[in-house]
């Protein structure tokens, strides 16, 4: 699967997100940008705001400066700026902020419970993965859906819910 895209993907590692503009040159020539940042709510509201709102917005602005053709952001099921819970609220605020940037194409990915995250699986996520009515998707399938959608989508702005992601993966060759 990876071989098909190996020479087409470039990973730019930024140790501190505050320094991402120092690596701006390395981002030039990239036409697809993926933002999968997130932090647990236990990190506190200030850190949530920084990681889930400020960094993605700054990254999207950098993508726009570099004329990216598609920006894909991993949000969350239930994201809304009017949500009661802080996590969903900040994810919703991030979606709205990204829409205002005026990117050429924007894909908002809203997975349900992300399972099979390897060492990053949390105890509550493992328990919730057994609840039949909770929308869920594996970490690998989120990635597959994001890549496949970035190649095939013709939408200028779209929000893909968990069921949409599963449908994309079902049809995927990855």
């Amino acid at each position: 699967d990876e071989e098909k895209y190996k020479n087409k993907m470039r990973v730019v590692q930024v140790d501190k997100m505050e320094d991402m503009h120092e690596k701006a040159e390395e981002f030039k020539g990239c036409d697809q940008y993926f933002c999968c940042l997130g932090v647990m709510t236990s990190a506190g509201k200030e850190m949530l705001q920084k990681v889930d709102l400020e960094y993605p917005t700054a990254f999207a602005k950098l993508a726009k400066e570099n004329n990216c053709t598609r920006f894909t952001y991993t949000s969350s099921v239930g994201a809304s700026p009017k949500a009661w819970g802080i996590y969903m609220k900040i994810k919703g605020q991030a979606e709205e902020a990204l829409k205002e940037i005026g990117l050429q194409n924007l894909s908002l990915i809203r997975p349900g419970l992300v399972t099979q995250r390897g060492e990053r699986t949390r105890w509550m996520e493992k328990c919730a993965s057994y609840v039949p009515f909770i929308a869920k998707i594996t970490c690998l399938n989120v990635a597959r859906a994001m890549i496949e959608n970035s190649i095939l989508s013709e939408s200028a702005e779209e929000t893909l819910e968990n069921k949409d992601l599963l449908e994309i993966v079902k049809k995927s060759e990855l």
Side-chain angles (χ1 to χ4, degrees), residues 8 16 29 39 50 52 65 73 95 127 141 152-154:
K8 296 179 181 185
K16 287 182 164 182
V39 69
K50 185 178 273 193
D52 286 274
E65 289 169 20
Y73 172 68
E95 288 183 2
C127 292
N141 280 339
L152 301 175
S153 178
E154 296 177 3

Side-chain angles (χ1 to χ4, degrees), residues 1-100:
D1 291 347
E2 289 178 23
E3 290 301 313
K4 185 176 179 180
Y5 298 102
K6 193 171 191 167
N7 295 324
K8 296 179 181 185
M9 293 183 78
R10 181 183 331 155
V11 175
V12 178
Q13 183 171 332
V14 179
D15 294 323
K16 287 182 164 182
M17 290 304 290
E18 291 89 352
D19 301 335
M20 91 173 82
H21 284 285
E22 291 177 14
K23 298 234 180 177
E25 279 300 310
E26 292 184 52
F27 288 105
K28 287 199 186 298
C30 297
D31 60 350
Q32 305 271 339
Y33 286 64
F34 296 89
C35 182
C36 307
L37 294 173
V39 69
M40 296 188 308
T41 53
S42 60
K45 183 179 179 179
E46 190 175 303
M47 187 58 75
L48 260 170
Q49 196 121 10
K50 185 178 273 193
V51 174
D52 286 274
L53 175 59
E54 293 172 22
Y55 292 160
T57 304
F59 187 49
K61 288 176 181 174
L62 177 67
K64 184 177 180 181
E65 289 169 20
N66 286 332
N67 300 311
C68 87
T69 57
R70 178 159 307 275
F71 188 89
T72 302
Y73 172 68
T74 305
S75 185
S76 175
V77 67
S80 168
K82 296 177 182 169
W84 181 77
I86 189 70
Y87 180 79
M88 302 300 187
K89 184 178 209 154
I90 289 176
K91 285 290 192 182
Q93 290 170 348
E95 288 183 2
E96 293 304 310
L98 294 173
K99 289 176 186 177
E100 290 173 16

